Amino acid sequence: MKSSSSTMISSIFFLLLCFAYASASGAYLRVRFYQKTCPAAETIVREAVKRAVTSNPGIAAGLIRIHFHDCFVRGCDASVLLKSTPGNHAELDSPFNNPSLRGFEVIDETKAQIEAVCPGIVSCADVIAFAARDSAYKAGGIYYAVPAGRRDGQVSIKDEVAQNLPSSTLNASDLIKKFARKGMSVDEMVTLSGAHSIGVSHCSSFSERLSFNATHDQDPSLDPSYAAFLKTKCPSAGANSTVALDIVTPTRLDNKYYKELKHNRGLLTSDQTLMNSHLTTGMVVNNARHGALWAKKFAKAMVHRVPLMCSPVPKVKSGGIAVS
């Protein structure tokens, strides 16, 4: 009986610690966090992203995706940047991240530039958040102020990626549950899915929707002419080519993504399900109709996408990006 009571007290104490830490985490995030300690930080990131995206427009999608993949696992703590060690496989080794994520070199170079000016001040997690914001602006004219003050994590576990990130084969109901666990609404989930207006996907992420033989039925929700086009890009189930997520404006972050869904031209199952499910159809139609409103919602959802975690606040990485 005494042991049971002690366990209960310990559990309650732990939960109180979690709540206290979460409250503190929310308190230290603020806009212009580095105004006094490293005033050039956001400018350095903005200029680096501008150069990178001008040189390679596809990098914008990569940087936004890095931020998403980082935040969805352990919170926005840059754990997606950590390298594996002999006793641990890191998030980078997950099939969700490798080889699909790109743009790490931009984060690396940007952090190095900031370190030269303000050593040990700006976290990698904030650099990632700034880079995602600046990518959204460069690719779609979508701007929002980024609350900063995140701290970099020291833990990165490969298996946690699949446990937390939504896969490309999920239906609307499962997507809603995944985002709800992160404190995000159905409308925010549909809104953030609009990030698939830019970027590419490997054939392996959607090949199950195509019919390559008599025993493999084609997804009936896929527009036949679009399916024929996809087969020219992915001639076999094992093809490793990439296809633009939005073939209309592949490098422009806009609401064309939703208009394509209305015509059954969503590349991934997790894309097209948003139009086909009664839970989300109205939101897709609304976003397709009102591009400016979707852009405002996208900016708001990007700021909200900062899950609170119950863990110690680690130090800022002051050296290289990928820690081993």
Side-chain angles (χ1 to χ4, degrees):
M1 185 71 176
K2 183 178 180 181
S3 176
S4 177
S5 299
S6 298
T7 301
M8 182 177 292
I9 291 172
S10 297
S11 298
I12 293 173
F13 180 66
F14 178 73
L15 289 173
L16 288 173
L17 282 178
C18 286
F19 178 77
Y21 174 71
S23 299
S25 297
Y28 74 66
L29 291 179
R30 66 177 185 273
V31 175
R32 293 186 293 276
F33 183 86
Y34 299 107
Q35 189 171 22
K36 294 182 179 179
T37 57
C38 189
E42 292 194 50
T43 299
I44 291 173
V45 177
R46 181 169 59 252
E47 292 302 314
V49 170
K50 185 189 297 183
R51 288 193 301 271
V53 176
T54 298
S55 175
N56 178 4
I59 288 296
L63 293 172
I64 291 173
R65 215 141 286 153
I66 287 175
H67 185 44
F68 180 85
H69 285 219
D70 180 39
C71 293
F72 233 75
V73 179
R74 287 184 156 261
C76 309
D77 67 343
S79 57
V80 72
L81 302 179
L82 299 177
K83 288 183 178 179
S84 295
T85 59
N88 176 68
H89 290 290
E91 293 170 30
L92 272 176
D93 288 341
S94 169
F96 279 79
N97 295 331
N98 184 15
S100 63
L101 287 188
R102 53 181 175 157
F104 289 109
E105 70 281 1
V106 179
I107 302 298
D108 201 354
E109 292 168 9
T110 303
K111 184 62 161 66
Q113 291 175 38
I114 292 176
E115 284 297 304
V117 178
C118 317
I121 300 296
V122 182
S123 68
C124 295
D126 280 338
V127 171
I128 291 174
F130 293 147
R133 184 267 312 277
D134 296 330
S135 295
Y137 181 72
K138 179 68 175 173
I142 300 174
Y143 182 84
Y144 52 93
V146 175
R150 299 165 188 80
R151 292 296 177 258
D152 295 328
Q154 305 282 331
V155 177
S156 184
I157 302 172
K158 174 185 174 182
D159 291 344
E160 290 185 348
V161 180
Q163 294 167 11
N164 286 277
L165 275 176
S167 76
S168 61
T169 59
L170 294 186
N171 59 34
S173 180
D174 289 332
L175 286 170
I176 290 170
K177 292 174 184 175
K178 280 277 188 181
F179 276 75
R181 293 190 192 113
K182 306 301 176 180
M184 308 205 77
S185 70
V186 179
D187 191 58
E188 286 176 317
M189 181 273 287
V190 176
T191 297
L192 288 175
S193 294
H196 280 185
S197 170
I198 55 177
V200 299
S201 180
H202 286 82
C203 295
S204 57
S205 295
F206 58 86
S207 60
E208 80 283 349
R209 302 187 69 200
L210 304 175
S211 175
F212 292 108
N213 53 61
T215 61
H216 190 154
D217 293 332
Q218 187 164 291
D219 187 338
S221 70
L222 196 59
D223 172 62
S225 62
Y226 183 51
F229 163 76
L230 293 178
K231 288 181 183 179
T232 66
K233 300 294 182 180
C234 306
S236 66
N240 196 37
S241 306
T242 58
V243 177
L245 287 158
D246 172 6
I247 61 174
V248 179
T249 54
T251 59
R252 182 69 183 174
L253 184 60
D254 57 25
N255 70 327
K256 297 293 193 303
Y257 163 82
Y258 300 101
K259 294 181 179 182
E260 288 299 284
L261 295 186
K262 290 176 63 179
H263 295 291
N264 294 321
R265 291 195 285 266
L267 182 62
L268 308 177
T269 298
S270 57
D271 291 323
Q272 194 57 51
T273 187
L274 301 180
M275 182 64 198
N276 297 346
S277 171
H278 71 281
L279 299 171
T280 50
T281 300
M283 299 170 193
V284 170
V285 172
N286 191 54
N287 289 339
R289 186 176 299 156
H290 306 289
L293 177 60
W294 165 76
K296 289 181 180 179
K297 292 196 301 177
F298 184 85
K300 186 176 180 180
M302 287 291 284
V303 174
H304 183 209
R305 190 176 70 181
V306 185
L308 297 178
M309 299 164 49
C310 182
S311 61
V313 182
K315 298 178 180 179
V316 175
K317 301 187 191 79
S318 59
I321 295 299
V323 177
S324 59

